[in-house]
Amino acid sequence: MLEQAPGAPIRSGIPEHGRIPKYYAVKARIAGLIEELGDGQALPTERDLAERYEVARETVRQALRELLLEGRLRRQGRGTVVAGPKLEQPLSLASYTEGVRRQGRTPGRNLISLDRFPCPVALAAEIDAEPGEPVWHMERVLLADDERVGLESTYVSVARVPRLDADFEPDSSFYAYLRDSLGIAFGDADERIETVLATPREALLIGTPPALPMLLIHRLSRDTEGRPLERVRTLYRGDRFSFTTHLGQS
């Protein structure tokens, strides 16, 4: 049996009939080159790679597209460089800020909007508000070492957080603000994860092509008394994030 890394595709993705698409063979060779180069190093041009592997430039281009989507490479100016490892975000009540800091990265957020509006009927039960009661909607771009990696929308009742527009620093952790300034602690949450494509507006804010797959997380959080607290919709770049959790006996 061939030796392979844990978690790698069986037989490195080679089908049983043994015929490998040309672009996939080139992709495997470029992946080896990526390992040699290391994070942040520039990849040779498409022309150089095509000459090196004796294939057409379109074959190289297809291989590079897949490596970009997988997060192994990233565009920098007019060139392509080796991307760092994906951020591992825990599926827990820990905030985005805490998750990024644990990996030695600097978290940040850029505020896009903070609006106050009457609560729609569909949202009211989710955040323990009455229809028509004022609610906040806060939209922020997520950053890791100043790289845009996601987009977060938070809905919370104005009655629970009356001075959000005056007392909260938008580039900081919302969870820390609730805990330290208002004495509100998170008890539990329900989350749902799906893959989506960003809308043109979302892609522009995050700085990605619209065709880049995104990981979308819907979260409904409750405080320690079981009272609904917030609804969050967060888009994470599929090429820059993976999610981890610990499973035990139910």
Side-chain angles (χ1 to χ4, degrees):
M1 183 175 180
L2 293 176
E3 185 177 335
Q4 64 182 55
I10 298 298
R11 297 179 60 194
S12 299
I14 302 171
E16 273 62 28
H17 56 56
R19 295 189 294 276
I20 307 172
K22 186 175 291 187
Y23 87 89
Y24 191 88
V26 171
K27 175 186 172 183
R29 297 180 72 177
I30 296 176
L33 178 60
I34 288 171
E35 295 296 328
E36 295 175 12
L37 290 173
D39 299 351
Q41 296 299 307
L43 202 70
T45 65
E46 285 183 6
R47 176 179 293 179
D48 290 341
L49 290 171
E51 292 177 356
R52 177 184 300 198
Y53 302 131
E54 299 181 338
V55 295
R57 289 183 64 175
E58 180 54 38
T59 302
V60 170
R61 197 169 294 129
Q62 185 175 357
L64 293 178
R65 276 197 295 266
E66 289 202 359
L67 290 165
L68 284 162
L69 287 173
E70 291 172 6
R72 304 287 302 279
L73 300 170
R74 60 183 172 86
R75 298 293 188 192
Q76 183 170 292
R78 299 183 65 181
T80 303
V81 300
V82 177
K86 289 188 177 184
L87 289 159
E88 292 186 2
Q89 187 73 354
L91 290 173
S92 69
L93 283 174
S95 72
Y96 169 80
T97 299
E98 295 165 352
V100 172
R101 280 181 178 156
R102 277 201 292 264
Q103 295 170 78
R105 306 285 294 275
T106 301
R109 292 176 172 90
N110 285 340
L111 181 67
I112 302 302
S113 63
L114 176 57
D115 302 314
R116 176 174 168 156
F117 63 96
C119 186
V121 174
L123 179 64
E126 293 185 340
I127 61 171
D128 193 27
E130 294 294 329
E133 179 183 330
V135 296
W136 295 114
H137 170 236
M138 179 168 57
E139 186 176 43
R140 298 184 292 174
V141 171
L142 304 178
L143 307 173
D145 291 342
D146 294 324
E147 179 187 10
R148 290 177 285 174
V149 293
L151 183 66
E152 177 185 76
S153 288
T154 302
Y155 299 86
V156 63
S157 168
V158 172
R160 299 294 305 269
V161 193
R163 293 180 54 82
L164 184 65
D165 58 339
D167 297 343
F168 177 61
E169 294 293 336
D171 62 346
S172 65
S173 168
F174 180 55
Y175 288 9
Y177 167 72
L178 292 177
R179 181 186 65 239
D180 299 338
S181 299
L182 301 178
I184 299 174
F186 283 83
D188 59 36
D190 295 321
E191 286 192 335
R192 177 166 58 88
I193 304 175
E194 57 184 309
T195 56
V196 298
L197 296 178
T199 66
R201 176 181 178 273
E202 290 167 338
L204 184 63
L205 288 172
I206 302 172
T208 59
L212 180 71
M214 296 281 177
L215 295 167
L216 172 61
I217 292 189
H218 300 274
R219 172 182 280 197
L220 293 173
S221 303
R222 291 170 288 271
D223 62 20
T224 51
E225 298 177 355
R227 185 180 173 190
L229 179 57
E230 61 161 3
R231 190 199 196 290
V232 184
R233 179 186 188 275
T234 310
L235 276 176
Y236 293 96
R237 288 178 53 165
D239 64 334
R240 301 303 297 132
F241 270 92
S242 64
F243 291 89
T244 61
T245 189
H246 172 75
L247 303 177
Q249 295 282 351
S250 59

